[in-house]
Amino acid sequence: SYIQPIFDISDNTVPAVEILARWENEKYGLIKPKQFLQILEKNNLLYDIDIKMFRNACALLQKLKNNDNTILKVFCNFVRTAFLNEDFIDTLKEILVEYNVEANMIGIIITDDIILHNGEYNIKECVKKLKDAGFYVVLDNFGASKESLNDVIKLDCDFLKISPKLLENITTERQKNIIMQIVKLVQEFDTYIICENIKNTEMIKKIRDIGCNYAQGEFFCQAIPLEELLNNNKLFL
């Protein structure tokens, strides 16, 4: 497992981290998800990996709690079939009890791919159960489809992650103002916005211009091994 911090650029703090699956191979080194997820999917192992990542997130929260460190959120990704699993939320609750951590420290990431394949009713029902259990809901890849704004409203998301393409498409003052108004509208729903895949100072300027504070990407920090964080008594969070 690896984690990547999410920064608040207004005060340079880290209010959250995202936990990520990575495969370290003795022969080929670090293998990124695009290269191994298809293999896991063919062998029906994606859900098991996601549950393992959730356990690792709980272990991180337990470590921080025991060390009197504070972290607001850990975001976890799940394969779309997880949201159709009747035992999904109960399994998450059992793991929370095992590690003695609270659901309100964890955000469950939902992608537009999940919404597309699972249908509006199923995903809305699952999101309601997640929120009733105390989890935060994070909508990924906002702006990548024409339904993005509708998804925020229908799913009652707490956080949304802006698609890098949305930022890249800001090339004129008019485009900037349009996106700025969309951001303001979304924020009126008490939804926090995270700009992801930030690579340079130009993108930072765009983030500030449209009124966003939360950002994630290699410009700030590469993903780092979870073990490195857990074994460090002076956690940077």
Side-chain angles (χ1 to χ4, degrees):
S1 298
Y2 275 57
I3 63 107
Q4 187 172 39
I6 296 168
F7 286 83
D8 184 338
I9 61 174
S10 68
D11 58 11
N12 202 33
T13 58
V14 178
V17 298
E18 181 175 351
I19 194 157
L20 304 165
R22 295 291 186 268
W23 179 12
E24 290 200 45
N25 183 280
E26 290 184 4
K27 183 176 180 180
Y28 299 105
L30 183 63
I31 302 174
K32 294 187 177 181
K34 287 183 180 180
Q35 298 170 284
F36 68 78
L37 288 181
Q38 289 182 345
I39 298 173
L40 294 175
E41 186 172 20
K42 287 180 181 178
N43 291 279
N44 296 316
L45 294 174
L46 281 178
Y47 179 71
D48 294 336
I49 292 295
D50 287 342
I51 290 296
K52 173 63 176 175
M53 294 300 103
F54 184 83
R55 284 185 173 277
N56 290 344
C58 290
L60 171 60
L61 289 168
Q62 185 185 57
K63 171 81 171 182
L64 293 170
K65 185 176 180 180
N66 292 341
N67 283 7
D68 295 326
N69 285 280
T70 300
I71 181 171
L72 296 185
K73 307 285 182 298
V74 177
F75 293 159
C76 300
N77 295 274
F78 282 93
V79 64
R80 63 174 180 264
T81 52
F83 295 85
L84 298 177
N85 189 323
E86 293 182 358
D87 298 325
F88 174 48
I89 297 174
D90 286 338
T91 299
L92 300 188
K93 288 180 180 178
E94 290 171 4
I95 297 171
L96 289 177
V97 172
E98 181 181 341
Y99 286 89
N100 191 28
V101 298
E102 294 75 37
N104 64 6
M105 304 297 285
I106 297 177
I108 305 298
I109 298 177
I110 296 176
T111 66
D112 51 358
D113 180 62
I114 291 171
I115 298 169
L116 177 65
H117 286 83
N118 289 1
E120 180 182 332
Y121 177 76
N122 285 335
I123 197 63
K124 281 178 69 175
E125 183 180 29
C126 188
V127 165
K128 184 180 184 307
K129 290 179 179 178
L130 285 168
K131 291 179 72 70
D132 287 345
F135 293 102
Y136 288 92
V137 173
V138 184
L139 180 64
D140 199 16
N141 216 24
F142 176 80
S145 73
K146 63 182 180 181
E147 291 297 317
S148 289
L149 192 56
N150 284 334
D151 292 337
V152 175
I153 298 169
K154 290 184 297 188
L155 299 179
D156 191 21
C157 299
D158 302 291
F159 294 84
L160 65 84
K161 301 180 76 176
I162 287 184
S163 166
K165 291 182 179 179
L166 196 63
L167 288 178
E168 291 168 3
N169 287 335
I170 301 177
T171 57
T172 67
E173 193 69 19
R174 181 174 182 272
Q175 290 169 339
K176 183 184 76 174
N177 288 333
I178 290 172
I179 294 176
M180 187 188 303
Q181 293 306 314
I182 293 173
V183 167
K184 286 182 179 178
L185 178 61
V186 170
Q187 289 173 337
E188 288 180 4
F189 293 116
D190 294 325
T191 300
Y192 294 92
I193 296 177
I194 301 164
C195 296
E196 58 182 339
N197 200 28
I198 303 304
K199 297 179 179 179
N200 51 52
T201 54
E202 181 183 353
M203 295 183 76
I204 293 291
K205 184 180 184 304
K206 288 181 178 181
I207 292 172
R208 296 186 189 278
D209 286 346
I210 63 175
C212 295
N213 285 335
Y214 297 132
Q216 177 183 19
E218 63 184 43
F219 178 81
F220 303 99
C221 182
Q222 295 278 5
I224 63 174
L226 178 62
E227 290 78 11
E228 182 179 317
L229 189 63
L230 290 176
N231 293 330
N232 187 349
N233 290 326
K234 294 183 178 179
L235 301 175
F236 72 86
L237 300 172

